[in-house]
Amino acid sequence: MKSLGTASKLVVVLISLHLLMPTVHSSAPVAAAGITTSVQINENSSEDWALTMGKSVSPAPSSLKTFSETVVKQLSEQQVFSSWTHSELQYFPLGPGTHSWLVTVSRDQKELGYLIFTATNTNAQEYILSEYGASPSEPYDLTALHQTLAELDIISPSSSKKPYPTKIEPLYTPLLPLWKVSFGHQDTLYLNALTMDVLPWDESHWKKLNQQTSELSDARFSSKDDAVTSSQVVSHEGQKDPLDNLMWITTTPLSVFSDLDVESYINKHNSIIFTSPNRNDDVGGPFAISGYQEWYSTQGGTHPMVYAGTGLTGQRYVPLSILLNKGVFHAFPSVAK
């Protein structure tokens, strides 16, 4: 990679120093309904985001704010998300463009979780819930990004010979939060924004993946719904890490044809494994599923939209319909006693 100019180096040095500073949030008033949705450029988290992206944080659309408040209110009534009551929401655009939005949930200066919403198309302000999760499952952590770039020896202010990122972009495609780090016009680095794993991709792979963004078109509720309700979270204390015992790779996939099949297997085995052969990098797999939550709306009728509880903590929820379309499921192998 070619060495970049002093201005580019200074931007990244500022990013490095800013991210290493202690975060001091200003207090924000809590609305009567219990949720504050202010997006203020002078908030430290917004400053960090703007500095990293090299641009200011755009105001979130009113339809998105209203929908996110509705979803957070529903979740805060669940025991798993009860800490979200009287929380503050902040909005951060995700690329390409502002087709998706990261919404962070915090209270008393402590991050509690996140939600990601995606527009149904680029010309309408109708949003669907792409995923959500509780701490410590949040993606797009700026400090983790800085640390990873430093560990990769990409950020190193002490050396004038090292190339520096000219552009950092937060991207989103269903099941996969991403960081895209660009170096001039030739080199690009993609990282899983949840695990911070470096992905073996080039620009053409991302473009191909980005064209396959219609998976959420069958979402059964959106910001245009008059009423949205959620079921109680079903969560099991099953195995959480598929890498603990790789013998599942040799087993026959479970027979799964519907949401109900997956729910039944989760209840039977406590947790199961989702994997997408030959494209796990594209979906962040393999990972365990140890729970689920159902959502109902006036738009979806009586048939719920199910979100699967994934990850090592089981507190990241993604649409089960996408998992059904993108991969297969395995039971964890029995451990001999």
Side-chain angles (χ1 to χ4, degrees), residues 321-337:
S321 59
I322 298 182
L323 302 185
L324 290 169
N325 291 331
K326 284 185 172 289
V328 295
F329 303 85
H330 291 260
F332 276 96
S334 299
V335 179
K337 297 183 179 180

Side-chain angles (χ1 to χ4, degrees), residues 155-168:
I155 290 180
S156 181
S158 62
S159 174
S160 61
K161 296 182 179 180
K162 291 187 179 298
Y164 284 84
T166 57
K167 190 175 184 181
I168 297 176

